[in-house]
Amino acid sequence: MGSETSGNSNNKSAVVLSKLATNEQHGENSPYFDGWKAYDNDSFHLVNNPNGVIQMGLAENQLSVDLVEEWIVRNPNASICTTEGIESFRRIVNFQDYHGLPEFTTAIAKYLGKTRQGKVKFDPNRVVMAGGATGANETLIFCLADPGDAFLVPSPYYPGFNRDLRWRTGIQLLPISCTSSNNFKITIEAVQEAYQNAQQANINVKGLILTNPSNPLGTILDRDTLKKLLTFTSQHNIHLVCDEIYAATVFDAPQFISIAEIIDDNEIRNHCINKDLVHIVSSLSKDTGFPGFRVGIVYSFNDDVVNCARKMSSFGLVSTQTQHLLASMLSDGEFVEEFLIESVKRLRKRHEKFTNGLEEVGIKCLKGNAGLYCWMDLRPMLKEPTFDAEMSLWKLIINDVKLNVSPGSSFNCPEAGWFRVCFANIDDQTVEIALARIRMFVDANNNVNENGVVKNKQQWKKNKLRLNFLNGKYDENAMNMNMMSPNSPIPISPLVRARN
């Protein structure tokens, strides 16, 4: 059966896939995903591959996994695959209602409130589960828009939105340009301009998408900005989608403010805000570090959207085994409280350690207070302020410094030279190695002029970067091989090579 195409390799060209399957909207060819491929092909390991690529392009929270492991040990009955929990096995494995286990949706609603400082309450009946934030975002777009419609989104924005929001839905994303002149803050004027431009181009704008806290900036939206944006969307009768998957990663003042809190603001109520146009996307991938559980949440204030999203969730349900475990864990109020407090402490400590290490070598980052990453400013290292120069620098960092950081162009950043670097998915020792690689990379650049001539050979030697310019090789014994790739082009500054 099907032998006419599968039995002979010569006939492979005869297989025709759908336009949806083969279009370029997935975004897989983005440098963002290319960096992951480079890591997959040469993954760093402290013992087995110390010269490999360190993964700093993955926004994953692994800093507090030990707390979860300890809870699981203390609560074996939370799993249906243990002697203590086996009595729930039959009920859980036979449950098929796509509304979700009642104890799960109740626990999720309480958790959402907890991660917003208890300032708002969430209704379990409005909790719709999906296969991670990816599935939640796509489900919501399917409910709100038709192919060809558009959503405004502040740039820079998460590269995965091209896949999550556009690929299968057929909608458009229209960037709202935000720049470093005001620390990439979104302004109502920029939103108005983007909306007007779309109107003039006869593009049907269905909504505005916000990521709060921001990925990749690591910043949050203030109350005044949220009020203005909510007022704008209501006045223009378009949807406001707030992706709040990093809500519990805010590690410094000011506190996170959810759009759910803004809706209940007395001042906003006087502006005739339409709650039916407001929707929240959440997940457990970032806050708790459970990306493999694929728990995404659509929370809408619109009854019709809730009902439609719930029907669509049939294509990406969370397994009942996972629901059962998480219902037990998230219902443990004492544990959740302690976990969130400790997680924030560890994120703050790691952020300070990494940004301080960058500052020591003259690299600045946008000031942020949330997320699992930094928005790193490498503009001074570019030959010229172009995206071609950015890509040249990025390729050197990937291939020679062996760090997978993500270039700003993959986030649709309007300025060249910005990079997102993640710090919460690796251990302390790997952070030290990454910083050491960056330090030597910067030292190499600082000690070589644009013509490739060493400016201070004595300082070069002090940095253990003794070069032999006659034979084009460096002294391998002078370098800790845990810190730099043996393929690093040290005799010629990496940035000089980028200029050629």
Side-chain angles (χ1 to χ4, degrees), residues 46 74 80 86 143 175 200 243 292 355 411:
L46 191 61
R74 296 194 306 269
I80 61 174
I86 193 64
C143 291
Q200 292 172 3
D243 185 326
T355 54
F411 293 83

Side-chain angles (χ1 to χ4, degrees), residues 335-473:
F335 167 75
V336 171
E337 177 77 16
E338 293 175 352
F339 175 86
L340 292 175
I341 292 174
E342 182 62 25
S343 177
V344 165
K345 287 181 180 178
R346 296 183 185 186
L347 283 172
R348 182 188 302 114
K349 181 179 179 181
R350 176 60 65 83
H351 179 269
E352 290 177 353
K353 177 182 181 64
F354 191 74
T355 54
N356 289 342
L358 292 177
E359 288 179 3
E360 290 175 2
V361 295
I363 296 177
K364 297 181 179 180
C365 294
L366 181 72
K367 185 176 181 180
N369 68 326
L372 313 173
Y373 34 74
C374 306
W375 192 232
M376 185 169 60
D377 184 3
L378 296 187
R379 288 177 295 175
M381 291 188 174
L382 299 181
K383 172 190 174 184
E384 55 189 11
T386 66
F387 290 110
D388 285 342
E390 176 183 283
M391 290 306 299
S392 294
L393 177 57
W394 172 72
K395 289 176 182 178
L396 289 169
I397 295 174
I398 285 282
N399 297 324
D400 301 314
V401 188
K402 294 297 187 77
L403 299 178
N404 175 30
V405 299
S406 305
S409 56
S410 64
F411 293 83
N412 215 73
C413 182
E415 299 177 9
W418 293 89
F419 292 76
R420 192 194 72 171
V421 53
C422 301
F423 56 74
N425 62 312
I426 52 180
D427 59 27
D428 290 337
Q429 191 170 3
T430 306
V431 169
E432 294 289 354
I433 294 170
L435 287 172
R437 291 184 183 183
I438 293 172
R439 189 177 304 116
M440 284 188 282
F441 177 68
V442 173
D443 287 348
N445 175 64
N446 290 342
N447 204 44
V448 178
N449 65 24
E450 292 189 0
N451 297 318
V453 178
V454 176
K455 294 182 286 188
N456 186 336
K457 290 186 178 181
Q458 292 301 317
Q459 183 62 38
W460 195 273
K461 290 180 180 180
K462 289 181 181 179
N463 289 330
K464 293 185 178 182
L465 294 171
R466 297 193 292 267
L467 307 179
N468 183 341
F469 286 93
L470 295 177
N471 60 19
K473 297 181 179 179

Side-chain angles (χ1 to χ4, degrees), residues 119-121 259-269 275:
K119 295 180 179 179
V120 288
K121 291 184 178 181
I259 194 64
E261 183 180 343
I262 299 299
I263 287 177
D264 289 338
D265 188 283
N266 290 328
E267 180 183 344
I268 280 292
R269 287 177 178 175
K275 293 177 65 172

Side-chain angles (χ1 to χ4, degrees), residues 25-41:
Q25 297 303 310
H26 180 279
E28 185 180 9
N29 295 325
S30 162
Y32 176 76
F33 290 107
D34 286 343
W36 286 23
K37 296 170 187 176
Y39 169 76
D40 289 340
N41 292 332

